[in-house]
Amino acid sequence: QLTLKESGPVLVKPTDTLTLTCTVSGFSLNDPRMGVSWIRQPPGKALEWLAHIFSSNEKSFSSSLQSRLSISRDTSRGQVVLTMTNMDPVDTATYFCARLKGSATYDSWYFDLWGRGTLVTVSS
Amino acid sequence: DIQMTQFPSSLSASVGDRVTISCRASQSIDNFLSWYVQEPGEAPKLLIYSASTLQSGVPSRFSGSGSGTDFTLTISSLQPEDFATYYCQQSYSTRFTFGQGTKLEIK
């Protein structure tokens, strides 16, 4: 069964470091046609892409947040971990992980599977 | 990062209407454009990728077009379940970005 599931704290304090885990099943993080992104959505607002890790272990980050973000993976466990430092109340959001899939010819890439998301609230 | 701009930001329509949502990229993204639909409290779902390829299981009333910087999502005949928020997203750059969303509401 193809799934992604986010886990982590529901409440963090300002200046804390947030650590979120995405556990995947049904596919391999080593598959060259697969990668995993983290995407967030503040309440009532739009989706914001944060970070991505490719099967090659190459990483990419949102320009506006890259100084605060890191992403890593444990392929044996099927997990992708996002850390975000110096949390602020404006970082309150639902955090999703999503699978980026490439077509067989690698000429198209899209988020075809999403976790249900986890709401993280930043408050003292 | 490539900026994705959707318009309109909200749209009121009736069941049976034909609606079009537009998305513009700040630079050419060829056809590396996907569309998603999101219902309140749910994760987004993929509708279309490569600008015009319908994801498996998506009804044929949805269609996408465009290339370069300008793209459209068309729903040929709105159904009650289509009233939701729609997002475009580019994968031309590995700094993937989304549009700000278009909320489709019942008139």
Side-chain angles (χ1 to χ4, degrees):
Chain A
Q1 189 175 5
L2 293 168
T3 61
L4 300 95
K5 186 174 182 179
E6 305 88 351
S7 58
V10 296
L11 178 67
V12 298
K13 290 182 168 53
T15 75
D16 278 358
T17 292
L18 172 68
T19 299
L20 293 173
T21 300
C22 176
T23 302
V24 309
S25 64
F27 67 96
S28 169
L29 295 174
N30 288 315
D31 188 324
R33 290 172 55 198
M34 308 293 173
V36 173
S37 272
W38 285 94
I39 296 148
R40 72 178 179 179
Q41 185 172 40
K45 296 189 177 181
L47 301 168
E48 180 183 18
W49 176 81
L50 300 176
H52 186 81
I53 190 162
F54 295 85
S55 60
S56 61
N57 205 34
E58 183 181 350
K59 301 155 189 180
S60 64
F61 299 96
S62 164
S63 295
S64 62
L65 291 168
Q66 63 181 3
S67 64
R68 298 174 52 204
L69 295 172
S70 65
I71 191 169
S72 63
R73 66 179 187 174
D74 183 332
T75 56
S76 63
R77 290 186 165 189
Q79 293 182 331
V80 175
V81 176
L82 178 78
T83 61
M84 180 180 291
T85 61
N86 195 25
M87 293 292 284
D88 183 271
V90 301
D91 297 313
T92 294
T94 296
Y95 287 76
F96 297 98
C97 59
R99 182 178 81 167
L100 186 78
K101 181 179 178 182
S103 66
T105 51
Y106 296 92
D107 59 359
S108 60
W109 297 85
Y110 41 89
F111 294 112
D112 71 327
L113 286 176
W114 294 67
R116 297 183 69 175
T118 184
L119 176 62
V120 178
T121 300
V122 185
S123 174
S124 54
Chain B
D1 297 1
I2 297 174
Q3 304 302 312
M4 305 300 293
T5 303
Q6 285 181 238
F7 45 94
S9 56
S10 64
L11 177 59
S12 294
S14 302
V15 172
D17 283 354
R18 177 185 179 92
V19 299
T20 297
I21 298 169
S22 298
C23 177
R24 177 168 291 164
S26 60
Q27 67 178 74
S28 176
I29 58 170
D30 291 341
N31 69 338
F32 289 87
L33 190 283
S34 301
W35 290 98
Y36 303 83
V37 60
Q38 186 182 33
E39 303 199 26
E42 300 286 323
K45 294 179 183 176
L46 176 67
L47 291 173
I48 287 170
Y49 61 92
S50 296
S52 60
T53 303
L54 215 59
Q55 170 70 340
S56 176
V58 173
S60 59
R61 64 181 180 272
F62 291 92
S63 63
S65 64
S67 183
T69 60
D70 293 307
F71 302 86
T72 58
L73 171 70
T74 300
I75 309 173
S76 60
S77 178
L78 277 173
Q79 299 302 300
E81 60 268 29
D82 299 336
F83 293 95
T85 300
Y86 293 81
Y87 293 93
C88 62
Q89 173 257 324
Q90 65 79 22
S91 55
Y92 179 84
S93 162
T94 57
R95 286 181 164 157
F96 311 107
T97 44
F98 289 86
Q100 81 278 17
T102 295
K103 187 174 184 179
L104 182 51
E105 298 173 306
I106 299 176
K107 185 182 287 185

